[in-house]
Amino acid sequence: MDQIAFGTDGWRATLDTFTDDRVRIVGQAVSEYLSDEGYTDPVLVGYDARETSPGFAESLAEVISGNGFDVLLPERDCPTPLVAYNIVERGLSGALMVTASHNPPEYNGVKFIPSDGAPALPEVTDSVAERLAEPDLLPESERGTIERVDLVSPHADHAMDLVGSDLSELTVVYDAMHGSGRGVTDALLESAGAEVVRLHCERDPTFGGKSPEPSAENLEALADAIDEHDADLGVANDGDADRLAIATPDRGVLDENLFFAAVYDYLLESDSGPAIRTVSTTFLIDRIAEAHGEEVFETAVGFKWVADGMREHDALMGGEESGGFSIRGHVREKDGVLMGLLAASVAAEEPFDARLDRIAEEHGDIVADKISIDCPDSEKSRVLSDLEGELPETVAGREIAKVVTIDGFKLLLDDGSWLLVRPSGTEPKLRVYAEAGSEEAVSSLLEAGDALVRPLV
């Protein structure tokens, strides 16, 4: 099926090619995969707040029930992590989630989540892709049932048991970005006692005319509202609420690397265990882990690899610099709802700004940034192959101590800073990341990275 690029995070496309007929083909492929693998339990079909998502979900439910599976649909649009949690909590065969996450409103998407609630690994998605075919439904009398269920309450109860604390002294500004976190993340914070100031918590399938991406430039209103309401913390979710960003009174919208560091530091106060991070995520995690006698395991970019590392190493926390995190005791899927509650619990014990000041005193300053370079998907492999033969001995005046090739090329420099070049998995771009002890050093590294890569494109 040439029009369906069903990869490791499912299939996303603009609505001119993301059609009902093709969505049904994906539903048939998942049904056949589950049947061939011996699954017989019900299948959950979730959907986000986009205008077309409920209809696509109903089409998927019709195809899956038409293959003999009972199907559960949520009572309303819902965050992806609630779907993942309910798979495990209800003992389901798996789920399909209709979402384009943080993409603009003219996109939609669908992905398969297996029975363990963790992101599907390539061998699973490849197996589903091999089965893409027109639906072949059973007679009406042999089809499964379709039932609407509450996904919010089971997840909320679990979140409170896992990380809940008394937030009665806390004021939190919550920005849903018009996505599926509205009425979920804010309600969870409120149930823990926080006073919640709500922003963009009305359903708007156009997301206010922009992408529901919790970036600093999209969250100026969140940072301003913290000052206006003398709030302790700001929390935002992306469109399907699997990722989050936070804002603090002193720092504004916080670098996700610093969020990871602060939360891991907090968790280690009462627990132990390694951390899993991607190659593009800060070495500050390593410094905090070392101070507690813990290990850090590095993975390729993509939460599926973080989740697999969490399973293998029984990690206390796993995450990536793009805002996806999970913790031990929860499903191994990034969860912006749970992490919103955990962020508030961290702030209730000690303000993020104070904790981060202390972390900087103990472990040093770390600054990270990235740039993107346009590169057609068809050229990415060639550029990286050419880059391998062009790697210099020094970058921005620093010697290269080691080259890591888990995902692209990560050049570890002799002063502890690093430069990473890797292909984007979602856009026709190459990403260049850098981390160092100052903004000036990061800027120099990114300039050197750009000069190294751009001539090869």
Side-chain angles (χ1 to χ4, degrees), residues 20 41 45 56 64 70 77 89 130 135 236 243-244 254 272 274 281 318 320 357 364 382 391 397 411 434:
D20 189 74
D41 292 314
V45 179
F56 287 138
I64 295 166
D70 291 336
D77 65 276
E89 197 269 341
E130 290 169 359
R243 296 188 297 123
L244 93 163
L254 195 65
S272 61
T281 303
E320 51 188 357
D357 288 343
R382 178 196 59 78
L391 292 178
L411 312 181

Side-chain angles (χ1 to χ4, degrees), residues 256-297:
E256 297 292 5
N257 286 298
L258 295 180
F259 173 79
F260 192 171
V263 175
Y264 186 47
D265 180 75
Y266 167 81
L267 293 173
L268 285 171
E269 291 175 351
S270 58
D271 207 342
S272 61
I276 310 295
R277 60 160 180 78
T278 64
V279 291
S280 60
T281 303
T282 179
F283 275 1
L284 185 53
I285 307 303
D286 304 57
R287 298 182 188 179
I288 292 169
E290 184 179 4
H292 288 81
E294 298 291 351
E295 291 185 275
V296 172
F297 298 92

Side-chain angles (χ1 to χ4, degrees), residues 395-407:
V395 174
R398 308 299 314 193
E399 290 188 5
I400 297 175
K402 184 179 180 181
V403 179
V404 176
T405 56
I406 293 173
D407 187 348

Side-chain angles (χ1 to χ4, degrees), residues 156 159-161 163-172 184-196 198 337-338 340-342 344-345 348:
M160 289 295 290
D161 288 342
V163 303
S165 59
D166 182 6
L167 306 182
S168 59
E169 301 299 317
L170 216 63
T171 299
V172 180
V184 180
T185 305
D186 49 331
L188 187 59
L189 292 165
E190 210 164 49
S191 70
E195 179 183 347
V196 178
R198 292 170 168 84
V337 179
L338 176 80
L341 180 64
L342 180 54
S345 298

Side-chain angles (χ1 to χ4, degrees), residues 208-278:
K210 57 186 179 183
S211 301
E213 167 72 25
S215 59
E217 56 268 31
N218 287 340
L219 295 177
E220 292 180 2
L222 179 67
D224 291 343
I226 292 175
D227 290 337
E228 180 183 350
H229 296 278
D230 193 26
D232 302 285
L233 183 70
V235 175
N237 288 135
D238 68 337
D240 67 329
D242 63 349
R243 296 188 297 123
L244 93 163
I246 73 161
T248 71
D250 294 346
R251 288 174 167 83
V253 178
L254 195 65
D255 185 304
E256 297 292 5
N257 286 298
L258 295 180
F259 173 79
F260 192 171
V263 175
Y264 186 47
D265 180 75
Y266 167 81
L267 293 173
L268 285 171
E269 291 175 351
S270 58
D271 207 342
S272 61
I276 310 295
R277 60 160 180 78
T278 64

